[in-house]
Amino acid sequence: MPANDDSRQSQETAGKESPMATATKEPNRYGILSAAFVVMFFVASIALFSVFLTPLSEQNGWSKTDVSLSYSIFQTVMAVTGIFSGRISDRFGPRKVMLVGGLVFGLGWFLTGMATSIPMLYLCHGVIAGMGNGLVYNPTLTTAQRWFPDIRGKASGILLAAAAIGPATLSPIASFLSSTFGVSTALKILGVTFWIAITLGSLFVSPVPEGYRPKGWNPPTSAASADNAEDDGGFDWKAMLASPRFYVLLLVYATAATAGTMLVGALSSIAQYQVGQVGAMTAAAFGAMVVSINTLSNFVGRLAFGALYDKLGAFRCLAVMLVATALAMVAMSFAVNAPFFIACVIVLGFAFGALLVIYPPLTGETFGTKHLGINYGIMFLGYALGAWIGPRIATSLFDETVGYRNAFYAAAAITLVGLAVTLLLAARVRKAGTMMPKRRQGATSE
């Protein structure tokens, strides 16, 4: 009888352990990162809008200021949608959200090719495509972050590098399609391409198991106070909004994004006005080339800062990024020849590459990663705010006499405000000895 009891107990134990054994056989996280890379490659195509700014204006007789507003609407809708997509993804998994988002995103770009008025442009590109982008971007990024708690910076850098190399690759293709088939047909072709590619990539993205930790990895002791946010559920969105640190980080995000979004939204037009034709290269071709150079340097910056994040930390990386941006913005005001202009673009692209790499893991370190989907969706509103300020500066401060010089100075000044706030926050965190802010009385976590 004892032997039978032992045998029965062993079978019951084995039965209990088998689900655990199955749970440890999670999908290859590098395969998931690769699929997310493909999705991000195509969903980050908002940078292509700079290529279409002038053709859309000329074809339809619209002002560039009116057309550029679609970029700001796109970023805002994307950010707001990302909040809801993050919450839905946290509860039901990322794949379904991404599949729906890919369809909406592709449809938005396709319908933009049919836009015959400014309101229709705002609806198709700004609202529909922006909504699709928000449905895809947030779940893709936060899911990859959760699979790599051991190398958050590198994972963020690798994945967001796709968001840079995608537009760099697609910009000349978009320019070719626009010049060959017309801007309307080019937008339709891109819309179908985006839908197919995002759908295929989304099929291979899986959610991280509860309590997942990579084999052989334990949170370092020095980071325990931040990473142990996982143990009590971290900060949910209500607790995060109750923390003053959220608003400080949101302000820094907005100021740091201003200069970069100004270039993303209007770089091609700035290049064509400030430099123009270069040898046998037309002004339009030079503008498209500069967009590619900017996104390539952005790609390198994301990879570089992804590695630096794990070594230097968020605040030092932010400080380097903001100083380089402010200096390059001032230099840009004097860049009237192609080599100097390209050099400034390279520095700005490299520095701007840091921002989107830094903020997902910074949000996770500060408020925990359990609710990272919705928390980063809310934090991303800071980037959307910068996307409203940046393009508006480029168009509203443009003057026929001095060109974009006043816009560059204004962007540099806003960047320096972000630098000052970053240094003050870094000093406060250093004094407290932890990234995580104190939870306010009455704030709860789900």
Side-chain angles (χ1 to χ4, degrees):
M1 286 295 295
N4 290 338
D5 289 341
D6 291 342
S7 175
R8 186 180 296 109
Q9 185 176 4
S10 298
Q11 291 175 2
E12 290 176 355
T13 303
K16 291 179 181 179
E17 290 176 350
S18 59
M20 182 65 68
T22 302
T24 59
K25 295 180 180 179
E26 70 272 352
N28 184 331
R29 62 176 183 160
Y30 289 97
I32 293 173
L33 183 65
S34 299
F37 187 97
V38 172
V39 172
M40 195 65 75
F41 180 96
F42 288 95
V43 81
S45 53
I46 179 58
L48 294 180
F49 194 68
S50 176
V51 174
F52 293 108
L53 180 60
T54 298
L56 280 171
S57 300
E58 294 177 348
Q59 173 179 288
N60 298 287
W62 302 332
S63 72
K64 291 183 180 179
T65 300
D66 289 341
V67 175
S68 68
L69 180 59
S70 183
Y71 172 80
S72 299
I73 295 173
F74 180 103
Q75 292 287 10
T76 303
V77 172
M78 170 196 174
V80 173
T81 305
I83 297 173
F84 299 101
S85 70
R87 189 172 182 83
I88 296 170
S89 178
D90 285 345
R91 291 189 174 185
F92 303 107
R95 186 179 300 159
K96 292 180 180 179
V97 181
M98 293 167 63
L99 288 172
V100 173
L103 174 61
V104 176
F105 183 67
L107 179 64
W109 279 87
F110 185 91
L111 293 177
T112 300
M114 303 171 65
T116 55
S117 66
I118 286 292
M120 189 175 178
L121 172 69
Y122 294 162
L123 173 64
C124 297
H125 179 263
V127 177
I128 298 177
M131 187 180 298
N133 191 293
L135 288 170
V136 176
Y137 184 92
N138 191 319
T140 304
L141 181 59
T142 56
T143 299
Q145 280 283 297
R146 287 166 171 154
W147 277 108
F148 293 88
D150 49 336
I151 47 171
R152 289 174 175 170
K154 290 185 179 68
S156 181
I158 291 171
L159 185 59
L160 287 168
I165 198 67
T169 304
L170 296 173
S171 285
I173 296 175
S175 180
F176 170 78
L177 291 174
S178 181
S179 60
T180 304
F181 303 105
V183 63
S184 297
T185 302
L187 288 166
K188 293 175 183 177
I189 293 173
L190 290 173
V192 174
T193 303
F194 294 155
W195 169 56
I196 294 173
I198 293 170
T199 297
L200 292 176
S202 299
L203 293 174
F204 297 93
V205 175
S206 301
V208 66
E210 185 72 23
Y212 169 78
R213 286 184 180 179
K215 292 180 180 179
W217 177 80
N218 289 305
T221 303
S222 61
S225 58
D227 287 312
N228 283 346
E230 300 269 359
D231 298 337
D232 68 352
F235 284 64
D236 67 5
W237 67 273
K238 295 178 183 177
M240 183 181 74
L241 291 179
S243 171
R245 186 165 300 176
F246 164 75
Y247 300 97
V248 175
L249 290 175
L250 190 76
L251 173 64
V252 174
Y253 209 171
T255 57
T258 296
T261 54
M262 182 178 78
L263 288 185
V264 171
L267 180 57
S268 180
S269 296
I270 293 172
Q272 292 181 54
Y273 172 85
Q274 200 153 312
V275 179
Q277 183 172 343
V278 179
M281 184 181 297
T282 64
F286 177 72
M289 183 188 74
V290 168
V291 170
S292 294
I293 291 173
N294 178 61
T295 49
L296 281 172
S297 60
N298 193 285
F299 166 76
V300 176
R302 295 183 186 202
L303 289 177
F305 278 101
L308 287 173
Y309 184 99
D310 295 323
K311 295 180 180 180
L312 301 180
F315 296 124
R316 289 180 180 176
C317 288
L318 270 175
V320 172
M321 174 258 174
L322 292 166
V323 169
T325 299
L327 292 176
M329 268 287 148
V330 174
M332 192 83 155
S333 64
F334 302 100
V336 293
N337 61 74
F340 190 27
F341 188 90
I342 291 172
C344 292
V345 167
I346 290 173
V347 174
L348 286 166
F350 183 85
F352 189 52
L355 185 60
L356 292 175
V357 171
I358 292 170
Y359 257 81
L362 173 57
T363 304
E365 284 189 60
T366 306
F367 301 107
T369 59
K370 183 173 183 178
H371 305 286
L372 183 60
I374 185 171
N375 286 353
Y376 182 66
I378 296 172
M379 185 67 75
F380 194 77
L381 290 173
Y383 184 91
L385 180 59
W388 275 96
I389 299 171
R392 297 282 74 70
I393 289 175
T395 54
S396 62
L397 295 185
F398 173 80
D399 183 86
E400 289 292 344
T401 304
V402 298
Y404 291 94
R405 182 171 298 178
N406 292 332
F408 296 141
Y409 291 157
I414 292 173
T415 301
L416 291 176
V417 171
L419 175 63
V421 175
T422 298
L423 295 177
L424 290 173
L425 180 57
R428 185 177 181 86
V429 169
R430 193 181 307 114
K431 183 178 180 180
T434 174
M435 288 287 289
M436 178 179 285
K438 291 182 179 180
R439 196 185 298 274
R440 282 197 159 189
Q441 187 174 6
T444 61
S445 63
E446 294 177 336

